[in-house]
């Protein structure tokens, strides 16, 4: 009787050991995707307050006179003037060259 219990215990231990060895041989691969998020600093150097909308995310930003606002955009997103609840003139298309640099509204 004791030999049967010992044999069953050894068989179970062997089974769990082989399962753990099988799991340790599998490799988990993770893929890191690079985000194309760009931080654009927009300075309203005009005499008027204005609102802009990011067509990519739909976020709106209020620009007071002589203020700098940082807008997170994805590469290729378009920024428009937002007038009376509608998109107006396009100001810029986000590119990686703009990342972290101040863009003057009067120059756009």
């Amino acid at each position: 009787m004791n030999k049967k219990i010992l044999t069953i215990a050894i068989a179970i231990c062997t089974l769990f050991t082989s399962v753990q060895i099988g799991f340790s041989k599998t490799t988990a691969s993770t893929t890191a995707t690079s985000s194309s998020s760009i931080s654009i600093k927009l300075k309203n150097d005009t005499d008027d307050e204005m609102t802009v909308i990011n067509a990519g995310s739909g976020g709106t930003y209020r620009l007071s006179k002589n203020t700098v606002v940082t807008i997170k955009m994805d590469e290729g997103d378009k920024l428009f003037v937002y007038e009376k609840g509608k998109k107006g003139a396009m100001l810029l298309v986000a590119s990686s060259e703009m990342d972290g640099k101040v863009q003057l509204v009067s120059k756009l």
Side-chain angles (χ1 to χ4, degrees), residues 1 6 15 22 24-25 29 40 48 57 65-66 76 81-82 87-88 91:
M1 183 71 172
L6 183 61
L15 177 67
S24 66
K25 288 183 182 177
S29 62
I40 297 177
D48 298 322
S57 69
K65 295 188 313 184
N66 294 317
V81 176
Y82 194 61
K87 288 190 284 188
L91 289 176

Side-chain angles (χ1 to χ4, degrees), residues 17-86:
T17 303
S18 66
V19 169
Q20 289 177 352
I21 290 171
F23 281 128
S24 66
K25 288 183 182 177
T26 60
T27 57
S29 62
T30 56
T31 305
T33 57
S34 64
S35 174
S36 59
S37 182
I38 300 168
S39 295
I40 297 177
K41 296 181 180 184
L42 194 61
K43 182 175 183 180
N44 184 5
D45 58 340
T46 64
D47 292 332
D48 298 322
E49 292 184 352
M50 65 188 310
T51 303
V52 295
I53 184 169
N54 179 355
S57 69
T60 58
Y61 305 88
R62 183 83 176 147
L63 303 174
S64 301
K65 295 188 313 184
N66 294 317
T67 59
V68 177
V69 175
T70 302
I71 302 173
K72 293 275 190 184
M73 300 177 77
D74 291 328
E75 192 161 357
D77 282 356
K78 296 177 182 178
L79 191 69
F80 292 91
V81 176
Y82 194 61
E83 300 172 317
K84 299 177 186 171
K86 296 184 181 180

